[in-house]
Amino acid sequence: MSDLEMIPAAKPIIGEQERAAVDAVLRSGMVAQGPQVAAFEEEFARELVDGRTCVAVNSGTSGLHLGLLAAGIGAGDEVIVPSFTFAATANSVALTGARPVFADITEDTFNLDPESVRSVVTDATAAIMPVHLYGHPADMAGLAEVADEAGVMVFEDAAQAHGARIDGAPVGSFGTFGMFSLYPTKNMTSGEGGMVACADEEIARGVRLLRNQGMETQYANEVVGLNNRMTDLHAAIGRVQLGKLSDWTARRRENAAWLDAHLEGVVVPPVRPGCEHVYHQYTVRLPGASREERDAVVAALREEHKVGCGVYYPIPNHELVSLARFAPADPEALPVTARAAAEVFSLPVHPSLTAEHLERIATAVNTVVGAGS
Ligand SMILES: *Cc1c(COP(=O)(O)O)cnc(C)c1O
């Protein structure tokens, strides 16, 4: 079967419109942060977060970092995060000088478990930062309850969840801030970039100051800041992509529904009542599998069937060399995280998949998993 074409795990769609938009900015001669960024912020706010003020930055990681700093997070604070996520979540906390504190996740959606979060709250807890992992919203009601009891803030890592909703309310509209990544493999891209949706004008002003050396007025620096600005070139790409996002999301959801109905031997991603999943990843679980068994399935899918699948994330954050100093004292403290890291893999779900690709993915999974069990 080696002459089969590889079905890519992700495929950014960048077309003529994006190229023309970039070219127009290049021709204007003004490429740094300017009118394109301002328009992108307004459009993103209107389309995706019910009009919350949005501030564009040069990456999702910068968005988390500046959102945390603008909310006053720093040395001496603890921020509760999942360990089962991309390292940027905890990295951004650690970069402020605060301590990321890892809590466990739930079996179904792989998102923060409010009960586990409650069990790690201390006097130093300043905030809870859930991730809407794979595009499925975290349990914001359950987490808000814990946050209210503890008197702490909630932030959202919505890097993977553009357009996901809970009872009609979009992710990014719950926390003090919500961050969306615009990296090429995310549900929409600006090349690189991030968008911070802000609960109020004070947070928004804080993020704006921090992205631009602490200046609102040139050379009147008010705080110590960075250069984390988005360029107009990137914003021009993002504006075109924003216009296509809802069609792409619909395609992701159709592809997921088809896979849900045709895969055997794996646990397909459940969707909680009232939630709209946007399937950044279509992540399945091999219940009871060891890490080696899961890795063998992934290798067979890739090598024999040319299905570009991936494991997000094979190593929980608290086991990474970079973040191990923040690990819970008890190595068994995050059992659901440990199981998920051994059992999950993600199949292609992106909008470029054809009916033939979907058939190939299902046949491959049903053959490989059936053969292994
Ligand atoms: C992609 C991602 C980020 C970081 O976004 P970048 O734009 O790559 O900096 C943060 N958190 C999660 C969960 C992500 O998937």
Side-chain angles (χ1 to χ4, degrees), residues 173-254:
S173 71
F174 293 91
T176 298
F177 72 86
M179 178 285 291
F180 297 84
S181 168
L182 301 165
Y183 184 73
T185 59
K186 301 292 158 83
N187 288 23
M188 61 173 283
T189 186
S190 60
E192 289 267 13
M195 194 65 84
V196 187
C198 302
D200 57 48
E201 287 309 311
E202 197 185 324
I203 288 288
R205 182 166 190 275
V207 176
R208 278 190 211 108
L209 283 173
L210 288 162
R211 80 173 163 184
N212 188 35
Q213 312 286 1
M215 297 187 289
E216 183 170 278
T217 306
Q218 203 174 17
Y219 306 131
N221 308 57
E222 298 172 41
V223 297
V224 174
L226 294 126
N227 173 2
N228 284 348
R229 297 183 300 262
M230 178 181 277
T231 73
D232 263 15
L233 292 167
H234 292 89
I237 299 172
R239 292 180 71 192
V240 175
Q241 295 255 317
L242 182 62
K244 299 176 177 173
L245 179 69
S246 62
D247 283 350
W248 287 339
T249 301
R251 290 295 307 278
R252 285 178 183 273
R253 294 168 64 125
E254 283 165 25

Side-chain angles (χ1 to χ4, degrees), residues 306-321:
K306 305 289 177 203
V307 172
C309 45
V311 176
Y312 313 101
Y313 297 88
I315 306 174
N317 282 190
H318 70 280
E319 292 176 18
L320 297 171
V321 171

Side-chain angles (χ1 to χ4, degrees), residues 1-12:
M1 292 217 239
S2 54
D3 54 343
L4 276 177
E5 159 226 8
M6 188 76 173
I7 304 173
K11 190 162 189 267

Side-chain angles (χ1 to χ4, degrees), residues 56-146:
V57 289
N58 61 346
S59 76
T61 307
S62 298
L64 291 177
H65 186 205
L66 299 196
L68 289 159
L69 290 174
I73 300 298
D77 292 328
E78 294 179 355
V79 178
I80 301 171
V81 292
S83 178
F84 192 62
T85 172
F86 186 54
T89 311
N91 279 351
S92 61
V93 174
L95 282 170
T96 68
R99 179 183 182 85
V101 173
F102 296 107
D104 213 355
I105 54 174
T106 62
E107 294 272 353
D108 58 344
T109 65
F110 309 105
N111 281 321
L112 269 186
D113 177 354
E115 286 315 311
S116 176
V117 170
R118 185 179 275 118
S119 75
V120 296
V121 169
T122 71
D123 289 345
T125 305
I128 304 168
M129 186 157 76
V131 177
H132 304 295
L133 198 70
Y134 307 139
H136 189 297
D139 176 2
M140 297 312 288
L143 293 169
E145 217 177 284
V146 180

Side-chain angles (χ1 to χ4, degrees), residues 48 134-137 160-171 187 244-262 268-282 347-353 358:
L48 287 184
Y134 307 139
H136 189 297
Q160 306 186 353
H162 315 65
R165 287 173 185 269
I166 306 170
D167 296 328
V171 302
N187 288 23
K244 299 176 177 173
L245 179 69
S246 62
D247 283 350
W248 287 339
T249 301
R251 290 295 307 278
R252 285 178 183 273
R253 294 168 64 125
E254 283 165 25
N255 292 342
W258 193 94
L259 291 170
D260 284 349
H262 292 85
V268 299
V271 180
R272 288 202 175 178
C275 287
E276 286 176 44
H277 194 331
V278 295
Y279 297 100
H280 169 61
Q281 298 290 351
Y282 183 90
L347 293 162
V349 73
H350 54 80
S352 302
L353 295 179
L358 289 166

